[in-house]
Amino acid sequence: MLVLAIDTALDACAAGVLDTNAGRLIAQETLPMRRGHAETLMPLIARVIESAGIAVAALDRIVATTGPGSFTGLRVGLSAARGIALAADKPVVGVTTLAAFAAPVIGENRKSPVISVIDARHDQVYFQTMSGDGATLVHPRVAPIEEALAASRFGAPHLVGNAAKLLADRWPTHLAPPVAVDPQPAPDIAWVAWLGAAVSPNAAPPRPYYLRAPDAKPAGNFLLKTQTLAAS
C-alpha cells in the first residue's frame, strides 16, 4: 500500500509517502512553522510526490491529522487530503494528533502509561492517557493542567507531545517522576502514515477532531489548489 500522510495540526508542515511493502517512507519532508501552512503545504506535497517517484494516481490512501491542534492548520491539512482524495478517487482517513504522538511510545511495548499532551493555552491542555499496550485509560479531552496531572494515579508515565515539558514541570513532587519526557513540537509523519495505513476508512473519518469550539477558517480557494495538484 502507498499512503500519502499529511500533518499541519501543530508547529510543522509535513508530508510523507509510506510504502507498506517496503516497510518505510520512500519520501518525506517536514518544515517547522506556526503559521503559513496554507501557502506551504501544496508545494511541499508536490515535492514529496516527485521525490517518491510516483503519480498521485498510484496512491492507495491519503491520511491527515485531525487534531486537536491549530484550528486553521488542521483544516488546511484536511482540505488538502480531501481534495487530493476526491480528484484521485482514493480513500481518505484521519488520525488524531494525540494518537500520532503516542504511537511510537506504545510501539516500544513498555509497561509505563503514556500521557499524550498538547498545549491548549490558558493553563489548559489537550490530553489522552493510555496504558503501555495502547488501551485508553483517560479519553481525549481538554482540561486544566491539574486534571492532566491527576493521571499520575496510573503510575509514573511517559510524557509525549508539545506540552510534555509543561506537564513535567508541574509534576507533583511527592510522586514518582515521569519515566521519560518527549517535548516534540509535532508528531512524526512516519507514524501518522503507519496509523493511517492501519485504520479502517469507516472508523477514521477525515474531519476535524475538536475538543473545543473552532474560531478560524482556512482560505476559500485552498480546495481548488489541492484538486489541481491531484489532477496534474
Side-chain angles (χ1 to χ4, degrees):
M1 182 187 295
L2 290 173
V3 179
L4 172 64
I6 299 167
D7 173 47
T8 54
L10 294 168
D11 293 346
C13 186
V17 175
L18 169 67
D19 183 340
T20 60
N21 291 330
R24 63 182 179 86
L25 265 66
I26 57 175
Q28 64 178 307
E29 184 175 344
T30 298
L31 298 176
M33 63 173 55
R34 292 190 175 184
R35 297 180 179 84
H37 295 84
E39 295 77 20
T40 303
L41 180 59
M42 295 316 298
L44 186 150
I45 292 175
R47 292 193 300 271
V48 168
I49 293 291
E50 181 179 5
S51 178
I54 63 171
V56 173
L59 294 168
D60 296 295
R61 181 177 292 187
I62 295 92
V63 56
T65 45
T66 60
S70 161
F71 295 127
T72 301
L74 69 90
R75 285 175 173 180
V76 166
L78 286 166
S79 293
R82 289 170 179 162
I84 293 170
L86 179 63
D89 193 24
K90 303 294 180 178
V92 57
V93 298
V95 299
T96 72
T97 319
L98 292 168
F101 270 132
V105 181
I106 292 171
E108 295 174 352
N109 296 317
R110 298 183 179 180
K111 294 182 179 180
S112 301
V114 179
I115 301 179
S116 183
V117 59
I118 296 169
D119 189 359
R121 300 177 182 170
H122 309 298
D123 214 39
Q124 293 188 322
V125 292
Y126 304 108
F127 80 100
Q128 180 178 7
T129 306
M130 289 152 278
S131 64
D133 62 3
T136 295
L137 301 174
V138 178
H139 288 281
R141 63 189 63 189
V142 59
I145 290 176
E146 287 72 20
E147 184 174 330
L149 292 171
S152 59
R153 66 187 182 275
F154 299 110
H158 188 131
L159 303 179
V160 62
N162 73 358
K165 187 177 185 303
L166 176 65
L167 209 61
D169 289 345
R170 301 272 289 271
W171 200 255
T173 57
H174 65 281
L175 297 175
V179 297
V181 180
D182 291 337
Q184 303 170 18
D188 185 337
I189 194 63
W191 282 98
V192 174
W194 279 111
L195 287 175
V199 298
S200 166
N202 295 328
R207 59 172 178 255
Y209 187 64
Y210 294 137
L211 294 176
R212 66 184 180 193
D215 58 3
K217 296 181 179 180
N221 65 345
F222 192 73
L223 182 59
L224 177 61
K225 293 181 182 179
T226 65
Q227 293 172 335
T228 300
L229 171 66
S232 62

